[in-house]
Amino acid sequence: MKIYLHLDFKKLTNCYLVVNEFTRKALIIDPCKISNILIHQIEEGDYDLSAVLITHKHENHYRGLETLKKIYDFSVYAADNELSTDKNVLKGEGTKNIGGLNVEYFSLPGHTADSIVYKIENVLFTGDVIFAGTIGSSSCSYTKRYLANGIKSKILSLNDDTIIMPGHGPLTSVGAEKQFNLDLDASPIV
C-alpha cells in the first residue's frame, strides 16, 4: 500500500490517495480539493480510482467529490446517506474489501454525528476526530467528553505504532497521542 498526502493550502485540509500496489486500484479519503497534481498522479500511475471514503459531512472534506464524479466512476462510502452511493452507507463498525484493501471502519461521533474512522493496515484516517495533540471540536462539553471516551476506547487501545492521518495538520501516532494529547489526559472522563 502506498499513501500520498495532498494538502489544500487554502483550507489547510488533508486529502489522501491510497493505492493498492498489486491491483493498481486507488481510494481517495476526504477529497477536499482536486488538484492537477492529484489527477496527474492517478493518471500517470495508471491507477483505477475505485472508491472515495468520507470521514464526515463538512464541506471542506468532500468539496472535490463533484469534480471527481465528472472524471471517474467510483463508489462513495460515508456514514451520511446524502454522500454515499448505492448501498455504501457505513454504520457502526465493520470491514469492507475496497480496491483489494481491507478497510476497517468504526463510528466515532462527537465532532459530528456522522464521524467515521477508517483503518487500513496500521494507518488510521481520522478526519476531524483527533489531531496531533488535540481532539476535534464539539458543540458542548458533553459531546467533547463523549468523543474523548470514544477515542480512548477505540483509538488509544490500538498499537502505539499505529499511524494517525488526520483531516488537518501533521501526521501522528497512537503512542504520541497517549503521551502528549492534552485533551486525552490519563484521568477518566465521566
Side-chain angles (χ1 to χ4, degrees):
M1 170 179 73
K2 282 187 178 180
I3 302 171
Y4 301 94
L5 167 65
H6 291 268
L7 174 63
D8 176 359
F9 288 100
K10 188 172 184 181
K11 300 283 186 179
L12 296 177
T13 304
N14 297 332
C15 169
Y16 301 99
L17 174 65
V18 181
V19 176
N20 181 327
E21 296 172 277
F22 300 107
T23 65
R24 309 300 292 169
K25 292 188 181 285
L27 319 172
I28 291 180
I29 300 173
D30 285 348
C32 54
K33 179 183 178 187
I34 306 308
S35 66
N36 290 334
I37 295 169
L38 177 59
I39 299 297
H40 180 76
Q41 197 167 40
I42 294 169
E43 296 299 318
E44 288 297 309
D46 197 30
Y47 302 135
D48 174 19
L49 182 62
S50 57
V52 169
L53 286 60
I54 299 174
T55 59
H56 65 294
K57 192 178 178 181
H58 277 173
E59 185 183 12
N60 60 332
H61 289 275
Y62 69 88
R63 68 187 179 103
L65 189 57
E66 292 307 313
T67 301
L68 284 173
K69 286 180 180 178
K70 293 176 184 175
I71 305 168
Y72 302 105
D73 183 29
F74 54 86
S75 298
V76 179
Y77 294 84
D80 184 88
N81 294 350
E82 294 175 11
L83 292 175
S84 62
T85 56
D86 305 320
K87 296 181 181 180
N88 297 324
V89 177
L90 303 175
K91 300 291 183 196
E93 300 179 5
T95 303
K96 288 198 172 282
N97 186 295
I98 306 171
L101 296 169
N102 283 326
V103 179
E104 296 176 52
Y105 62 89
F106 54 89
S107 175
L108 200 53
H111 174 66
T112 63
D114 70 324
S115 289
I116 194 160
V117 173
Y118 300 101
K119 182 176 185 284
I120 305 172
E121 296 180 8
N122 72 326
V123 180
L124 289 177
F125 300 90
T126 61
D128 291 357
V129 166
I130 187 170
F131 310 105
T134 189
I135 68 173
S137 63
S138 297
S139 59
C140 66
S141 60
Y142 172 79
T143 54
K144 186 163 186 144
R145 284 193 307 271
Y146 187 73
L147 176 59
N149 283 335
I151 291 168
K152 286 179 177 182
S153 68
K154 293 182 179 183
I155 293 179
L156 298 189
S157 62
L158 298 172
N159 292 334
D160 283 356
D161 64 347
T162 303
I163 299 163
I164 296 174
M165 298 189 134
H168 306 276
L171 310 181
T172 184
S173 70
V174 168
E177 295 313 301
K178 283 180 183 177
Q179 190 170 6
F180 298 112
N181 193 312
L182 298 177
D183 288 338
L184 299 169
D185 61 20
S187 63
I189 298 176
V190 289

mmCIF file of all heavy atoms in Angstrom, residues 63-91:
data_model
loop_
_atom_site.group_PDB
_atom_site.id
_atom_site.type_symbol
_atom_site.label_atom_id
_atom_site.label_comp_id
_atom_site.label_asym_id
_atom_site.label_seq_id
_atom_site.Cartn_x
_atom_site.Cartn_y
_atom_site.Cartn_z
ATOM 1 N N ARG A 63 -15.621 18.570 -0.733
ATOM 2 C CA ARG A 63 -15.995 19.516 -1.791
ATOM 3 C C ARG A 63 -15.443 19.164 -3.165
ATOM 4 O O ARG A 63 -15.958 19.612 -4.178
ATOM 5 C CB ARG A 63 -15.654 20.951 -1.409
ATOM 6 C CG ARG A 63 -14.201 21.274 -1.310
ATOM 7 C CD ARG A 63 -14.024 22.694 -0.754
ATOM 8 N NE ARG A 63 -12.639 23.003 -0.625
ATOM 9 C CZ ARG A 63 -11.971 23.769 -1.451
ATOM 10 N NH1 ARG A 63 -12.578 24.335 -2.472
ATOM 11 N NH2 ARG A 63 -10.693 24.000 -1.269
ATOM 12 N N GLY A 64 -14.456 18.310 -3.252
ATOM 13 C CA GLY A 64 -13.922 17.877 -4.537
ATOM 14 C C GLY A 64 -14.658 16.683 -5.132
ATOM 15 O O GLY A 64 -14.349 16.243 -6.241
ATOM 16 N N LEU A 65 -15.658 16.189 -4.426
ATOM 17 C CA LEU A 65 -16.377 14.990 -4.863
ATOM 18 C C LEU A 65 -17.040 15.166 -6.226
ATOM 19 O O LEU A 65 -16.936 14.298 -7.094
ATOM 20 C CB LEU A 65 -17.413 14.605 -3.802
ATOM 21 C CG LEU A 65 -18.115 13.267 -3.954
ATOM 22 C CD1 LEU A 65 -17.120 12.124 -3.998
ATOM 23 C CD2 LEU A 65 -19.101 13.076 -2.804
ATOM 24 N N GLU A 66 -17.692 16.286 -6.453
ATOM 25 C CA GLU A 66 -18.386 16.522 -7.729
ATOM 26 C C GLU A 66 -17.400 16.596 -8.895
ATOM 27 O O GLU A 66 -17.693 16.123 -9.988
ATOM 28 C CB GLU A 66 -19.262 17.777 -7.655
ATOM 29 C CG GLU A 66 -20.450 17.620 -6.717
ATOM 30 C CD GLU A 66 -21.302 16.387 -7.018
ATOM 31 O OE1 GLU A 66 -21.640 16.155 -8.195
ATOM 32 O OE2 GLU A 66 -21.639 15.657 -6.064
ATOM 33 N N THR A 67 -16.249 17.186 -8.655
ATOM 34 C CA THR A 67 -15.222 17.230 -9.704
ATOM 35 C C THR A 67 -14.776 15.821 -10.065
ATOM 36 O O THR A 67 -14.675 15.473 -11.245
ATOM 37 C CB THR A 67 -14.007 18.059 -9.236
ATOM 38 O OG1 THR A 67 -14.446 19.387 -8.914
ATOM 39 C CG2 THR A 67 -12.924 18.110 -10.302
ATOM 40 N N LEU A 68 -14.521 14.991 -9.055
ATOM 41 C CA LEU A 68 -14.104 13.615 -9.313
ATOM 42 C C LEU A 68 -15.167 12.832 -10.085
ATOM 43 O O LEU A 68 -14.846 12.030 -10.955
ATOM 44 C CB LEU A 68 -13.800 12.895 -7.997
ATOM 45 C CG LEU A 68 -12.488 13.240 -7.312
ATOM 46 C CD1 LEU A 68 -12.419 12.581 -5.943
ATOM 47 C CD2 LEU A 68 -11.305 12.841 -8.159
ATOM 48 N N LYS A 69 -16.438 13.069 -9.761
ATOM 49 C CA LYS A 69 -17.529 12.353 -10.437
ATOM 50 C C LYS A 69 -17.594 12.678 -11.934
ATOM 51 O O LYS A 69 -18.067 11.869 -12.718
ATOM 52 C CB LYS A 69 -18.870 12.687 -9.788
ATOM 53 C CG LYS A 69 -19.074 12.020 -8.446
ATOM 54 C CD LYS A 69 -20.423 12.411 -7.862
ATOM 55 C CE LYS A 69 -20.661 11.761 -6.522
ATOM 56 N NZ LYS A 69 -21.947 12.174 -5.929
ATOM 57 N N LYS A 70 -17.100 13.846 -12.320
ATOM 58 C CA LYS A 70 -17.084 14.223 -13.740
ATOM 59 C C LYS A 70 -15.985 13.495 -14.509
ATOM 60 O O LYS A 70 -16.032 13.406 -15.725
ATOM 61 C CB LYS A 70 -16.891 15.728 -13.879
ATOM 62 C CG LYS A 70 -18.071 16.530 -13.365
ATOM 63 C CD LYS A 70 -17.794 18.013 -13.420
ATOM 64 C CE LYS A 70 -18.951 18.790 -12.807
ATOM 65 N NZ LYS A 70 -18.680 20.214 -12.743
ATOM 66 N N ILE A 71 -15.001 12.956 -13.789
ATOM 67 C CA ILE A 71 -13.841 12.335 -14.420
ATOM 68 C C ILE A 71 -13.850 10.811 -14.282
ATOM 69 O O ILE A 71 -13.501 10.106 -15.224
ATOM 70 C CB ILE A 71 -12.539 12.899 -13.805
ATOM 71 C CG1 ILE A 71 -12.513 14.425 -13.910
ATOM 72 C CG2 ILE A 71 -11.304 12.295 -14.474
ATOM 73 C CD1 ILE A 71 -11.412 15.073 -13.090
ATOM 74 N N TYR A 72 -14.255 10.312 -13.120
ATOM 75 C CA TYR A 72 -14.125 8.889 -12.817
ATOM 76 C C TYR A 72 -15.465 8.294 -12.395
ATOM 77 O O TYR A 72 -16.378 8.997 -11.966
ATOM 78 C CB TYR A 72 -13.112 8.675 -11.677
ATOM 79 C CG TYR A 72 -11.740 9.221 -11.968
ATOM 80 C CD1 TYR A 72 -11.297 10.394 -11.368
ATOM 81 C CD2 TYR A 72 -10.887 8.569 -12.845
ATOM 82 C CE1 TYR A 72 -10.036 10.905 -11.629
ATOM 83 C CE2 TYR A 72 -9.617 9.068 -13.112
ATOM 84 C CZ TYR A 72 -9.207 10.232 -12.503
ATOM 85 O OH TYR A 72 -7.964 10.729 -12.772
ATOM 86 N N ASP A 73 -15.536 6.973 -12.459
ATOM 87 C CA ASP A 73 -16.684 6.217 -11.995
ATOM 88 C C ASP A 73 -16.230 5.432 -10.762
ATOM 89 O O ASP A 73 -15.342 4.578 -10.872
ATOM 90 C CB ASP A 73 -17.178 5.271 -13.096
ATOM 91 C CG ASP A 73 -18.420 4.512 -12.685
ATOM 92 O OD1 ASP A 73 -19.207 5.039 -11.878
ATOM 93 O OD2 ASP A 73 -18.587 3.375 -13.170
ATOM 94 N N PHE A 74 -16.805 5.710 -9.609
ATOM 95 C CA PHE A 74 -16.367 5.094 -8.362
ATOM 96 C C PHE A 74 -17.531 5.055 -7.375
ATOM 97 O O PHE A 74 -18.559 5.701 -7.587
ATOM 98 C CB PHE A 74 -15.191 5.875 -7.757
ATOM 99 C CG PHE A 74 -15.481 7.339 -7.584
ATOM 100 C CD1 PHE A 74 -16.122 7.805 -6.447
ATOM 101 C CD2 PHE A 74 -15.122 8.254 -8.570
ATOM 102 C CE1 PHE A 74 -16.404 9.167 -6.298
ATOM 103 C CE2 PHE A 74 -15.397 9.608 -8.420
ATOM 104 C CZ PHE A 74 -16.046 10.064 -7.291
ATOM 105 N N SER A 75 -17.345 4.319 -6.300
ATOM 106 C CA SER A 75 -18.317 4.259 -5.207
ATOM 107 C C SER A 75 -17.900 5.233 -4.116
ATOM 108 O O SER A 75 -16.715 5.488 -3.924
ATOM 109 C CB SER A 75 -18.377 2.852 -4.623
ATOM 110 O OG SER A 75 -18.796 1.927 -5.597
ATOM 111 N N VAL A 76 -18.897 5.761 -3.401
ATOM 112 C CA VAL A 76 -18.627 6.670 -2.290
ATOM 113 C C VAL A 76 -19.101 6.001 -0.999
ATOM 114 O O VAL A 76 -20.246 5.557 -0.908
ATOM 115 C CB VAL A 76 -19.350 8.024 -2.467
ATOM 116 C CG1 VAL A 76 -19.075 8.936 -1.278
ATOM 117 C CG2 VAL A 76 -18.929 8.690 -3.768
ATOM 118 N N TYR A 77 -18.207 5.939 -0.022
ATOM 119 C CA TYR A 77 -18.514 5.372 1.286
ATOM 120 C C TYR A 77 -18.518 6.499 2.314
ATOM 121 O O TYR A 77 -17.584 7.292 2.383
ATOM 122 C CB TYR A 77 -17.467 4.328 1.683
ATOM 123 C CG TYR A 77 -17.487 3.110 0.797
ATOM 124 C CD1 TYR A 77 -16.810 3.095 -0.422
ATOM 125 C CD2 TYR A 77 -18.192 1.972 1.179
ATOM 126 C CE1 TYR A 77 -16.833 1.979 -1.239
ATOM 127 C CE2 TYR A 77 -18.221 0.851 0.362
ATOM 128 C CZ TYR A 77 -17.539 0.865 -0.838
ATOM 129 O OH TYR A 77 -17.567 -0.243 -1.656
ATOM 130 N N ALA A 78 -19.575 6.544 3.114
ATOM 131 C CA ALA A 78 -19.705 7.551 4.159
ATOM 132 C C ALA A 78 -20.784 7.099 5.131
ATOM 133 O O ALA A 78 -21.572 6.192 4.828
ATOM 134 C CB ALA A 78 -20.063 8.912 3.564
ATOM 135 N N ALA A 79 -20.853 7.738 6.274
ATOM 136 C CA ALA A 79 -21.911 7.446 7.235
ATOM 137 C C ALA A 79 -23.156 8.284 6.948
ATOM 138 O O ALA A 79 -24.194 8.063 7.550
ATOM 139 C CB ALA A 79 -21.422 7.698 8.655
ATOM 140 N N ASP A 80 -23.047 9.209 6.016
ATOM 141 C CA ASP A 80 -24.163 10.092 5.667
ATOM 142 C C ASP A 80 -24.861 9.582 4.402
ATOM 143 O O ASP A 80 -24.209 9.317 3.394
ATOM 144 C CB ASP A 80 -23.637 11.510 5.433
ATOM 145 C CG ASP A 80 -24.751 12.483 5.155
ATOM 146 O OD1 ASP A 80 -25.302 13.041 6.117
ATOM 147 O OD2 ASP A 80 -25.083 12.666 3.967
ATOM 148 N N ASN A 81 -26.183 9.463 4.461
ATOM 149 C CA ASN A 81 -26.968 8.957 3.324
ATOM 150 C C ASN A 81 -26.832 9.814 2.080
ATOM 151 O O ASN A 81 -26.876 9.290 0.964
ATOM 152 C CB ASN A 81 -28.456 8.883 3.689
ATOM 153 C CG ASN A 81 -28.741 7.869 4.759
ATOM 154 O OD1 ASN A 81 -27.883 7.078 5.120
ATOM 155 N ND2 ASN A 81 -29.943 7.893 5.280
ATOM 156 N N GLU A 82 -26.693 11.111 2.224
ATOM 157 C CA GLU A 82 -26.636 12.010 1.070
ATOM 158 C C GLU A 82 -25.300 11.911 0.326
ATOM 159 O O GLU A 82 -25.246 12.187 -0.864
ATOM 160 C CB GLU A 82 -26.880 13.455 1.502
ATOM 161 C CG GLU A 82 -28.286 13.697 2.016
ATOM 162 C CD GLU A 82 -28.480 15.107 2.555
ATOM 163 O OE1 GLU A 82 -27.589 15.960 2.348
ATOM 164 O OE2 GLU A 82 -29.514 15.349 3.183
ATOM 165 N N LEU A 83 -24.257 11.534 1.009
ATOM 166 C CA LEU A 83 -22.936 11.484 0.386
ATOM 167 C C LEU A 83 -22.611 10.122 -0.206
ATOM 168 O O LEU A 83 -21.942 10.037 -1.227
ATOM 169 C CB LEU A 83 -21.844 11.854 1.400
ATOM 170 C CG LEU A 83 -21.830 13.303 1.866
ATOM 171 C CD1 LEU A 83 -20.777 13.493 2.946
ATOM 172 C CD2 LEU A 83 -21.581 14.245 0.708
ATOM 173 N N SER A 84 -23.055 9.061 0.415
ATOM 174 C CA SER A 84 -22.698 7.721 -0.051
ATOM 175 C C SER A 84 -23.513 7.341 -1.282
ATOM 176 O O SER A 84 -24.579 7.881 -1.530
ATOM 177 C CB SER A 84 -22.891 6.689 1.055
ATOM 178 O OG SER A 84 -24.245 6.646 1.419
ATOM 179 N N THR A 85 -22.988 6.405 -2.054
ATOM 180 C CA THR A 85 -23.676 5.941 -3.250
ATOM 181 C C THR A 85 -24.152 4.510 -3.046
ATOM 182 O O THR A 85 -23.618 3.777 -2.216
ATOM 183 C CB THR A 85 -22.748 5.986 -4.476
ATOM 184 O OG1 THR A 85 -21.573 5.211 -4.202
ATOM 185 C CG2 THR A 85 -22.359 7.402 -4.829
ATOM 186 N N ASP A 86 -25.134 4.130 -3.840
ATOM 187 C CA ASP A 86 -25.673 2.775 -3.788
ATOM 188 C C ASP A 86 -26.027 2.407 -2.350
ATOM 189 O O ASP A 86 -26.764 3.110 -1.697
ATOM 190 C CB ASP A 86 -24.686 1.774 -4.408
ATOM 191 C CG ASP A 86 -24.284 2.162 -5.818
ATOM 192 O OD1 ASP A 86 -25.162 2.616 -6.574
ATOM 193 O OD2 ASP A 86 -23.102 2.031 -6.150
ATOM 194 N N LYS A 87 -25.474 1.316 -1.884
ATOM 195 C CA LYS A 87 -25.735 0.864 -0.512
ATOM 196 C C LYS A 87 -24.458 0.941 0.304
ATOM 197 O O LYS A 87 -24.130 0.020 1.047
ATOM 198 C CB LYS A 87 -26.300 -0.552 -0.535
ATOM 199 C CG LYS A 87 -27.636 -0.611 -1.229
ATOM 200 C CD LYS A 87 -28.199 -1.991 -1.223
ATOM 201 C CE LYS A 87 -29.535 -1.933 -1.964
ATOM 202 N NZ LYS A 87 -30.202 -3.192 -2.045
ATOM 203 N N ASN A 88 -23.749 2.037 0.180
ATOM 204 C CA ASN A 88 -22.460 2.190 0.836
ATOM 205 C C ASN A 88 -22.508 3.092 2.054
ATOM 206 O O ASN A 88 -21.521 3.732 2.393
ATOM 207 C CB ASN A 88 -21.430 2.709 -0.168
ATOM 208 C CG ASN A 88 -21.205 1.723 -1.290
ATOM 209 O OD1 ASN A 88 -21.232 0.521 -1.067
ATOM 210 N ND2 ASN A 88 -21.014 2.222 -2.484
ATOM 211 N N VAL A 89 -23.655 3.150 2.716
ATOM 212 C CA VAL A 89 -23.767 3.897 3.962
ATOM 213 C C VAL A 89 -23.160 3.026 5.057
ATOM 214 O O VAL A 89 -23.552 1.873 5.235
ATOM 215 C CB VAL A 89 -25.235 4.234 4.288
ATOM 216 C CG1 VAL A 89 -25.333 4.956 5.619
ATOM 217 C CG2 VAL A 89 -25.851 5.064 3.180
ATOM 218 N N LEU A 90 -22.191 3.573 5.766
ATOM 219 C CA LEU A 90 -21.487 2.828 6.808
ATOM 220 C C LEU A 90 -22.017 3.220 8.177
ATOM 221 O O LEU A 90 -22.060 4.401 8.508
ATOM 222 C CB LEU A 90 -19.983 3.109 6.720
ATOM 223 C CG LEU A 90 -19.327 2.803 5.373
ATOM 224 C CD1 LEU A 90 -17.873 3.242 5.392
ATOM 225 C CD2 LEU A 90 -19.452 1.330 5.021
ATOM 226 N N LYS A 91 -22.405 2.241 8.942
ATOM 227 C CA LYS A 91 -22.908 2.464 10.304
ATOM 228 C C LYS A 91 -22.185 1.528 11.250
ATOM 229 O O LYS A 91 -21.841 0.400 10.885
ATOM 230 C CB LYS A 91 -24.413 2.193 10.384
ATOM 231 C CG LYS A 91 -25.257 3.067 9.479
ATOM 232 C CD LYS A 91 -25.272 4.497 9.936
ATOM 233 C CE LYS A 91 -26.185 5.323 9.031
ATOM 234 N NZ LYS A 91 -25.984 6.724 9.156
#
